[in-house]
Amino acid sequence: MLLALTREVSPSISVCELTHVERQPIDVALARSQHHHYENSLRALGCQVISVPAAPDLPDAVFVEDCAVVLDELAIITRPGAASRRPEVPSIAASLAPYRQLVYIQPPGFLDGGDVLRLGKTLYIGFSDRSNREAIAQMQSILTPFGYTVQGVPITGCLHLKSAVTQISVETLLLNPQWVDYKLFSKMAYIEVDEQEPYGANGLLIDDQLIYPTSYPRTLDHLVAHAIQVIPVDVSELIKAEGAVTCCSLVFQAETPPNTTT
Ligand code: CIR
């Protein structure tokens, strides 16, 4: 079945890492309620939600995507680019251990899962402040034996590759052309974000349904007009922490072991 690892919003989220957005007050109670709705959307799409132990002192702990890249054959445990986020990793690794062989990114490599876009057997990895060439080279040597191709992708102006581009259907990407070059993904069709919604390229595709933030209504309308099946979620408080929808879960196929919580 499909599992989704998530972790609750930390009470310290207001002091999260921020790179490209200005700090604004975050309503923690609202962020938590939005996160619960997000988890319910995952459940409605057939996921069993597994909770990683809370980490109240780690402001960005809700953004579990950055700590691992889960593939069918193994999970790569990352070394996040922001040092403040590295203590998030052991609990994510422990939560994934029942399901996958774990392989770790080693220093001096660093990598955030938000920089990794998998399209079939190709992993596109953003060269960002959070992911370096050393880690991308490690990904290549870990994954080549499993038949994957790893390709580094330049990005500008945003935090992660998946801030700039995500997959929204089998053959379609959603992207911000200011931040990433669509020609890198020439086998795919693409839809651009609305000019007024530069942060709107992050959607979470589960089967043929797209979890997508209500904060980007113009882009949402374009998606619906292109017959994308959208599940709208309000994650406005998580967006203030420079997150969106892919970053709040790790979704993968697995047998369910006993004693898991939903
Ligand atoms: C950070 O800067 O690390 C967090 N405030 C936001 C991380 C969002 N992660 C993601 O989109 N994969």
Side-chain angles (χ1 to χ4, degrees):
M1 72 176 303
L2 265 187
L3 301 189
L5 252 64
T6 62
R7 171 148 54 193
E8 71 177 32
V9 174
S10 297
S12 54
I13 189 169
S14 298
V15 292
C16 64
E17 294 284 339
L18 289 179
T19 308
H20 296 277
V21 307
E22 299 233 338
R23 197 168 297 280
Q24 301 176 55
I26 296 177
D27 179 335
V28 175
L30 181 56
R32 289 190 157 193
S33 140
Q34 291 177 343
H35 187 251
H36 288 144
H37 282 107
Y38 169 86
E39 290 179 319
N40 283 337
S41 303
L42 291 169
R43 290 188 182 98
L45 294 177
C47 295
Q48 179 173 346
V49 174
I50 310 275
S51 300
V52 180
D57 298 334
L58 300 177
D60 283 305
V62 65
F63 301 123
V64 293
E65 170 185 63
D66 292 319
C67 295
V69 177
V70 186
L71 301 172
D72 288 345
E73 302 86 349
L74 76 169
I76 293 110
I77 304 301
T78 70
R79 183 167 177 265
S84 70
R85 300 202 54 194
R86 291 183 189 149
E88 296 173 26
V89 170
S91 49
I92 300 284
S95 297
L96 286 170
Y99 308 102
R100 291 291 189 277
Q101 173 200 349
L102 306 183
V103 181
Y104 288 76
I105 296 294
Q106 304 291 343
F110 56 83
L111 180 110
D112 279 7
D115 273 318
V116 181
L117 173 68
R118 186 182 67 79
L119 298 178
K121 292 289 266 188
T122 303
L123 269 70
Y124 295 90
I125 306 186
F127 294 127
S128 72
D129 292 345
R130 299 292 182 84
S131 300
N132 66 2
R133 284 171 196 270
E134 167 61 31
I136 295 172
Q138 289 181 31
M139 290 288 276
Q140 209 146 23
S141 46
I142 294 165
L143 293 173
T144 303
F146 292 97
Y148 288 92
T149 302
V150 172
Q151 189 177 323
V153 174
I155 57 170
T156 40
C158 58
L159 183 62
H160 289 133
L161 176 62
K162 278 188 285 195
S163 320
V165 54
T166 54
Q167 185 176 18
I168 57 167
S169 76
V170 175
E171 69 284 340
T172 317
L173 301 175
L174 175 63
L175 61 81
N176 178 336
Q178 307 294 319
W179 291 349
V180 72
D181 183 356
Y182 68 87
K183 293 198 268 325
L184 293 162
F185 313 101
S186 55
K187 292 191 187 123
M188 301 285 285
Y190 68 94
I191 296 173
E192 295 186 4
V193 294
D194 187 275
E195 286 181 344
Q196 295 179 39
E197 298 173 346
Y199 290 92
N202 189 272
L204 174 59
L205 183 64
I206 297 187
D207 295 329
D208 57 354
Q209 314 266 327
L210 187 74
I211 296 183
Y212 188 75
T214 53
S215 295
Y216 310 117
R218 291 164 179 267
T219 305
L220 201 156
D221 284 349
H222 298 320
L223 295 172
V224 171
H226 282 82
I228 303 294
Q229 295 183 54
V230 178
I231 313 290
V233 292
D234 186 353
V235 287
S236 61
E237 298 307 295
L238 299 166
I239 286 172
K240 292 179 187 169
E242 211 167 351
V245 287
T246 63
C247 52
C248 295
S249 57
L250 285 163
V251 179
F252 55 94
Q253 286 283 351
E255 299 298 316
T256 317
N259 306 322
T260 51
T261 53
T262 62

